[in-house]
Amino acid sequence: MSSIAIRDLKVSIDATEIIRGLDLEFHKGEVHAIMGPNGSGKSTLAKVMAGHPDYEVTGGDILLDGESILDLEPEERSRKGLFLAFQYPIEIPGVSNANFLRAALQARLPEGEELDAVEFYERLYQKMDTLEIRREFTSRSVNEGFSGGEKKRNEILQMAMLEPSYAVLDETDSGLDVDALRVVANGVNKLRSPKIGILLITHYQRLLNYIVPDFVHVMYEGRIVRSGDKELALELDSQGYDSLRPVETV
Amino acid sequence: MSTAITSIDIDRGIGDFFYELTPSRDAGVGLTEATIDYITDVKGEPDWIRDFRKNAYRVFNNKPLPTHWAGDELKEIDFDKIRYYLASGEAPKRTWDEVPDQIKKTFERLGIPESERKFLAGVEAQFDSEAVYSNIKKAVSDQGVVFMGSTDGLKERPDLFRKWFGKVIPTGDNKFSALNSAVFSGGSFIYVPPGVKVKHPLQAYFRINAENFGQFERTLIIADEGSEVMYMEGCTAPKFTTATLHSAVVELVALPGAKIQYVTVQNWAPNVFNLVTKRGLAMEGSEIKWIDCNIGSRLTMKYPGVILKGRKARGEVISIALAGDGQHQDTGAKMVHAADETTSNIVSKSISVGKGRATYRGLVHVPKHLKGCKNNTECDALLINSTSRTDTYPAITVRGTGNSTQHEASVSQISAEQIFYMQQRGLSEGQAMSLAVNGFVNDLVRQFPMEYSVELKRLIDLEMEGSVG
C-alpha cells in the first residue's frame, strides 16, 4: 500500500496521445529510474502525476497509498506527500526563498496553527549546509537570476524541507556540470530513507552513477517497454535507445 | 483544477459597516451659495475664508469636468444629490472616553485607539465633516509642534495658516480643488518648528459614515527649517448603494532642509469617487516623499506632486495601486523641477484584477535653464486576468544639457506555470496568487512604516484570496 501505483495510464494534450497505457509502481524506500529518449513522454508523466492542468487523463489511474489522486488539485497532491522537482524551476520575483518555504510549510498545518520560525530557520540552515548553499540565498527571490545549478539545488532544498513521501525528480541532472551534479546527487542520497520513494527521470545514465537506483525502467512512445536493475542503465548507455525499438512482427 | 480566475468579490469587511446617526449640523442636499454660508456660519469662520470659499464656488461652477482626458466616469457624480456638510456640532474631544459611543465604536473597530497607544505621536479622527477626536502627545506638543484641525488652524494660527493656505495648490488648479476650496471641512493643520524632529508619526483617519455624502478635508503641513515629520492617513467608508465623494486638498511646505513623509493607505468602499489633489513645495535642501497606496474606491484620481523650488531639493513618489473589478485607479505623480541640482524619483506599481483598470499618469518637467537635475521614473503594471487593463501616460520634458532622466516601464502577468509551481509546493491557487502579488509590490511595501506594511499585506491577501474562482 505504501506506494505510488500507476495503472494503464493514458494521457493526451490537445488531442495527441502522449502516454499510452503506462504501468509503474514504486514503493517507499525504493529508488526507481525512468530512462528514455526525447519525446518518450517522461516529463509528461511527471507533470501529470503532479496534476498539471494542461494534460488530460483519458484512461487509467494513479494511486497514492492505494487512493486515486486524479481528482485532487495539485496542492492537495502536494500535501499528501507528493513532490515534483521541476526540470525547469520557475522564477517568482519578489518572493524570497525563505518566505516561499515558510508559506509552503504553513499551508500544510491545520487552520490556526503557526509555523515555529526559530525551528524553521534551524532546519533550513542545516539543509542548506548539506547542499552547500550560502546563507544569503534565503533572502533572494525564488529562482530569480539563479544559475542552472542553483535552481536544481533549490529544488532539492525544497524537497528536503517539505519531507515528501514520494518524490519525482524530472531531469534533475540536466544543465549541471560534474561538480554541481555531485552536490545535487549527494543531497538526494542524504534524503534516501525507508520513508520516501523516489522516481528519477533522466535521459542519461550519468546521473545514475551518483544516485544508484534499485530499479530501472525504460520508457518509449508512452509506455514502459523494459524494466530491470541498474545494469539495464549501463546496457542502454552502451547500446543506445534504438536497440529498444520493439521488434516488429513479421 | 480551476484555472479560470473569475471576478472578485471584494472583502470590505474591515470598513463596511455604519451606524444610524442624525447629525445636528446638516447643510442639506446640493450646493449653492447658501450651503457655503451655512458651513462658514456653523464653523464660525472669519470673513476672508467666506470670501475664499465663495470665489472658489464660482471657479468650480465655471470649470468643466476634465472628461476630455480623465474619462466619462466622472459624469456619474451628481453634484446636486450630495450632502456637503454633516457634523455633530461638537468640538473634537481630547480623550476617547468623551467621544460619543457609536463613533468611538467605529474607530475602535478600525483599530485607531490601539495604534495610537502603540506607535503614534498624535491622532486626528474625522467622522464625516469634522474631527471627533484630536490629540497630540504632550511630549510632542511641548516641542512646539502644532497638530489640529484646519478650522482651528486658521483661527488659532492665522499667521502661519494664511501664509501658505492655497499657495501650493491654487483654487483653480482643477475642478475638484475648487470644489474643496468652496466647501472644505476637517483635515489637519500641522506646524513643526525649526530643527524639531517628530520621532513618531502623526496620523489622521478619515471616516465616512453617511450616505450621499461628500468629504472635503483640507490639510496643510508646514515643516520649518531642518525639521522632520511623518504624517499617515487612512480612510474607509461603508458600501452604500449610491456614490460617495471624497475630494481632499493636501498642501505640504518643506522649508530649507526639512523632511516630510506623507503616507496614505486608501481603502475606500468600491462606490467612492476619490478625487484628491496633493502637492508639496520643497525649498532648498529639503525632501518631500509621498508614499501612497490605493486599494479601494470606484475611481481614484490622484497624482501627488512636488514642486522642487530650492536648490538640491528632493521629491519622491512611491505608489501602489490595486484595481479590482469595477474599479479604476488613475494615479501617478508630478515632479516640477524649478531649481538646480534637484532630484526626483517616481516608482509606481499597479495591479489590475478582473475588469479592474489601473492608469499611470506622470508629469516630469525640467526646464532648459537648470543644471544638474535628475529624474528617475519606474512604472510596473501587473495584470491578473485577461480582462484586466493598464494604461501608462508618462509626460516627461527634460530640457537643457546638464539634466538627466531615466524611465522604465513594464507590464507583466502571473503565469499559469508560476501558479502551478507554487501549488505543487502545497499552496492553494489563491495563496499562490497572493504570494506572487505580494512579491510584485514587496520592494515598495517595505517603504511603508512597519505597522502599515503588515496591514497592506493583509489587504492584498484579502483581495487576492477573493480573486480566484
Side-chain angles (χ1 to χ4, degrees):
Chain A
M1 284 287 274
S2 285
S3 72
I4 284 193
I6 302 166
R7 307 261 191 251
D8 194 25
L9 188 70
K10 294 185 175 115
V11 177
S12 294
I13 183 164
D14 299 334
T16 307
E17 190 168 60
I18 296 171
I19 296 180
R20 304 165 177 183
L22 182 140
D23 287 280
L24 179 72
E25 182 163 13
F26 64 103
H27 294 83
K28 283 187 189 168
E30 297 173 351
V31 174
H32 290 236
I34 291 187
M35 300 182 71
N38 289 334
S40 57
K42 303 188 302 288
S43 282
T44 297
L45 177 64
K47 284 183 182 163
V48 167
M49 290 172 75
H52 195 287
D54 286 355
Y55 298 91
E56 191 193 350
V57 175
T58 53
D61 208 347
I62 302 174
L63 309 171
L64 188 152
D65 294 342
E67 282 177 45
S68 175
I69 57 170
L70 288 183
D71 288 336
L72 300 182
E73 295 291 327
E75 67 269 25
E76 294 171 309
R77 302 182 194 201
S78 166
R79 292 173 199 170
K80 280 194 179 292
L82 176 66
F83 181 88
L84 169 63
F86 283 59
Q87 180 179 5
Y88 304 109
I90 309 292
E91 298 184 2
I92 313 170
V95 178
S96 74
N97 284 297
N99 279 347
F100 182 51
L101 277 168
R102 282 180 76 161
L105 286 165
Q106 182 67 50
R108 289 167 156 70
L109 296 178
E111 187 100 11
E113 215 174 288
E114 278 289 321
L115 192 70
D116 183 312
V118 176
E119 195 256 358
F120 165 78
Y121 276 103
E122 269 175 23
R123 269 188 66 217
L124 179 61
Y125 289 152
Q126 186 203 329
K127 311 279 186 197
M128 283 167 62
D129 290 346
T130 309
L131 287 159
E132 300 177 27
I133 295 171
R134 284 197 300 273
R135 293 288 149 91
E136 75 206 36
F137 173 90
T138 53
S139 54
R140 288 174 65 189
S141 296
V142 178
N143 296 323
E144 198 183 29
F146 282 24
S147 69
E150 284 177 319
K151 284 184 180 174
K152 295 300 171 78
R153 262 188 257 185
N154 195 19
E155 293 296 287
I156 304 306
L157 176 65
Q158 291 177 19
M159 175 176 157
M161 288 300 287
L162 298 177
E163 296 182 335
S165 308
Y166 303 98
V168 180
L169 277 55
D170 187 10
E171 306 272 3
T172 292
D173 53 327
S174 69
L176 296 186
D177 61 29
V178 175
D179 291 332
L181 180 61
R182 183 189 50 76
V183 173
V184 167
N186 188 29
V188 175
N189 285 329
K190 286 208 168 125
L191 297 174
R192 284 180 87 154
S193 89
K195 288 189 204 160
I196 183 170
I198 297 175
L199 184 63
L200 302 170
I201 291 176
T202 181
H203 186 85
Y204 300 104
Q205 192 270 337
R206 183 180 72 151
L207 175 70
L208 308 183
N209 291 334
Y210 294 89
I211 308 171
V212 180
D214 303 305
F215 302 92
V216 174
H217 310 276
V218 180
M219 191 163 173
Y220 193 83
E221 293 185 343
R223 290 187 195 92
I224 301 293
V225 292
R226 269 185 78 182
S227 294
D229 60 13
K230 62 184 177 184
E231 301 302 323
L232 178 57
L234 294 170
E235 183 188 318
L236 278 174
D237 200 41
S238 61
Q239 296 177 15
Y241 289 114
D242 281 349
S243 65
L244 294 163
R245 201 179 289 279
V247 182
E248 303 208 8
T249 43
V250 184
Chain B
M1 95 183 237
S2 51
T3 44
I5 298 162
T6 57
S7 66
I8 64 169
D9 177 22
I10 296 166
D11 190 332
R12 292 279 160 209
I14 325 154
D16 192 10
F17 64 92
F18 69 99
Y19 293 104
E20 288 288 351
L21 295 169
T22 315
S24 60
R25 302 280 189 272
D26 183 347
V29 177
L31 179 59
T32 62
E33 283 223 11
T35 320
I36 288 165
D37 281 324
Y38 180 89
I39 294 171
T40 303
D41 291 343
V42 159
K43 294 168 84 73
E45 292 168 341
D47 280 344
W48 73 270
I49 288 289
R50 189 187 303 266
D51 295 342
F52 177 90
R53 289 183 184 279
K54 289 198 172 169
N55 172 58
Y57 174 63
R58 282 187 290 274
V59 175
F60 167 72
N61 279 333
N62 290 333
K63 268 196 185 291
L65 278 170
T67 45
H68 60 290
W69 62 271
D72 283 346
E73 296 152 282
L74 290 172
K75 288 184 187 158
E76 291 169 37
I77 303 168
D78 189 343
F79 293 102
D80 294 332
K81 289 194 175 149
I82 290 171
R83 296 189 284 175
Y84 290 82
Y85 184 86
L86 291 173
S88 67
E90 289 184 41
K93 310 302 183 196
R94 300 283 170 236
T95 65
W96 285 106
D97 284 344
E98 297 168 78
V99 173
D101 219 28
Q102 287 175 322
I103 298 178
K104 186 173 130 192
K105 271 191 214 153
T106 299
F107 288 106
E108 275 172 353
R109 283 176 73 166
L110 298 166
I112 309 305
E114 195 192 343
S115 307
E116 180 182 15
R117 283 192 299 274
K118 277 196 203 151
F119 67 96
L120 297 170
V123 166
E124 191 181 23
Q126 179 164 340
F127 195 82
D128 294 337
S129 296
E130 295 287 0
V132 291
Y133 174 87
S134 176
N135 193 29
I136 177 167
K137 288 194 175 145
K138 192 172 172 298
V140 185
S141 62
D142 284 351
Q143 292 178 296
V145 176
V146 176
F147 178 45
M148 52 178 60
S150 61
T151 308
D152 288 341
L154 72 92
K155 285 185 196 165
E156 291 178 28
R157 302 302 297 266
D159 51 325
L160 291 166
F161 193 92
R162 214 170 161 170
K163 185 172 178 190
W164 295 109
F165 175 72
K167 301 296 195 302
V168 186
I169 301 171
T171 295
D173 187 81
N174 62 76
K175 189 170 178 79
F176 293 94
S177 64
L179 177 62
N180 176 283
S181 299
V183 297
F184 75 89
S185 180
S188 308
F189 172 69
I190 294 171
Y191 172 73
V192 188
V196 172
K197 296 182 163 85
V198 186
K199 276 192 210 130
H200 299 286
L202 297 166
Q203 191 187 44
Y205 200 94
F206 299 98
R207 173 67 180 174
I208 293 176
N209 187 69
E211 199 166 357
N212 296 332
F213 174 69
Q215 190 174 53
F216 306 96
E217 86 270 12
R218 181 99 190 187
T219 290
L220 173 60
I221 300 177
I222 303 159
D224 214 324
E225 292 191 24
S227 68
E228 288 179 18
V229 65
M230 179 191 270
Y231 180 82
M232 314 202 298
E233 61 170 356
C235 32
T236 56
K239 187 183 177 181
F240 292 116
T241 48
T242 54
T244 306
L245 178 60
H246 174 255
S247 189
V249 167
V250 176
E251 296 174 288
L252 310 183
V253 180
L255 293 170
K259 275 188 186 176
I260 303 176
Q261 277 198 49
Y262 193 107
V263 184
T264 304
V265 176
Q266 178 268 97
N267 187 23
W268 292 116
N271 61 330
V272 174
F273 282 85
N274 183 43
L275 311 164
V276 175
T277 311
K278 288 179 166 171
R279 198 169 301 151
L281 188 62
M283 301 307 195
E284 184 166 345
S286 71
E287 192 180 309
I288 290 178
K289 183 170 182 174
W290 298 97
I291 304 179
D292 200 35
C293 179
N294 299 296
I295 289 182
S297 84
R298 157 83 178 78
L299 167 68
T300 284
M301 288 172 64
K302 192 202 306 178
Y303 322 97
V306 183
I307 297 163
L308 300 150
K309 195 161 191 287
R311 202 176 64 89
K312 291 198 170 181
R314 187 177 150 73
E316 194 165 7
V317 173
I318 303 291
S319 81
I320 298 174
L322 201 164
D325 229 4
Q327 290 183 293
H328 184 179
Q329 305 285 7
D330 196 319
T331 60
K334 288 184 184 176
M335 292 293 176
V336 179
H337 291 252
D340 289 342
E341 297 173 69
T342 47
T343 54
S344 60
N345 185 37
I346 301 168
V347 186
S348 157
K349 292 204 178 190
S350 69
I351 303 146
S352 309
V353 186
K355 288 181 187 151
R357 180 178 172 192
T359 303
Y360 169 82
R361 287 179 211 275
L363 181 146
V364 176
H365 184 73
V366 183
K368 196 176 175 181
H369 66 276
L370 298 182
K371 285 189 264 325
C373 298
K374 281 182 193 155
N375 162 260
N376 175 58
T377 302
E378 291 168 44
C379 48
D380 299 319
L382 184 67
L383 300 173
I384 301 293
N385 307 86
S386 55
T387 51
S388 312
R389 176 172 171 185
T390 185
D391 309 87
T392 302
Y393 304 100
I396 300 179
T397 315
V398 178
R399 294 208 168 87
T401 48
N403 303 310
S404 69
T405 186
Q406 189 175 320
H407 178 251
E408 282 178 44
S410 76
V411 180
S412 53
Q413 278 190 290
I414 295 170
S415 71
E417 291 304 316
Q418 283 174 315
I419 298 293
F420 176 66
Y421 185 71
M422 291 187 264
Q423 282 183 296
Q424 207 305 302
R425 299 306 185 242
L427 302 175
S428 68
E429 200 179 348
Q431 288 166 334
M433 194 61 97
S434 191
L435 196 65
V437 169
N438 272 299
F440 174 72
V441 293
N442 187 29
D443 53 336
L444 296 195
V445 169
R446 272 188 287 189
Q447 302 229 18
F448 284 74
M450 219 263 280
E451 293 75 10
Y452 268 31
S453 62
V454 172
E455 169 71 4
L456 258 180
K457 192 183 166 309
R458 203 179 64 82
L459 286 173
I460 292 171
D461 283 348
L462 269 176
E463 300 273 325
M464 301 320 298
E465 288 284 320
S467 75
V468 289

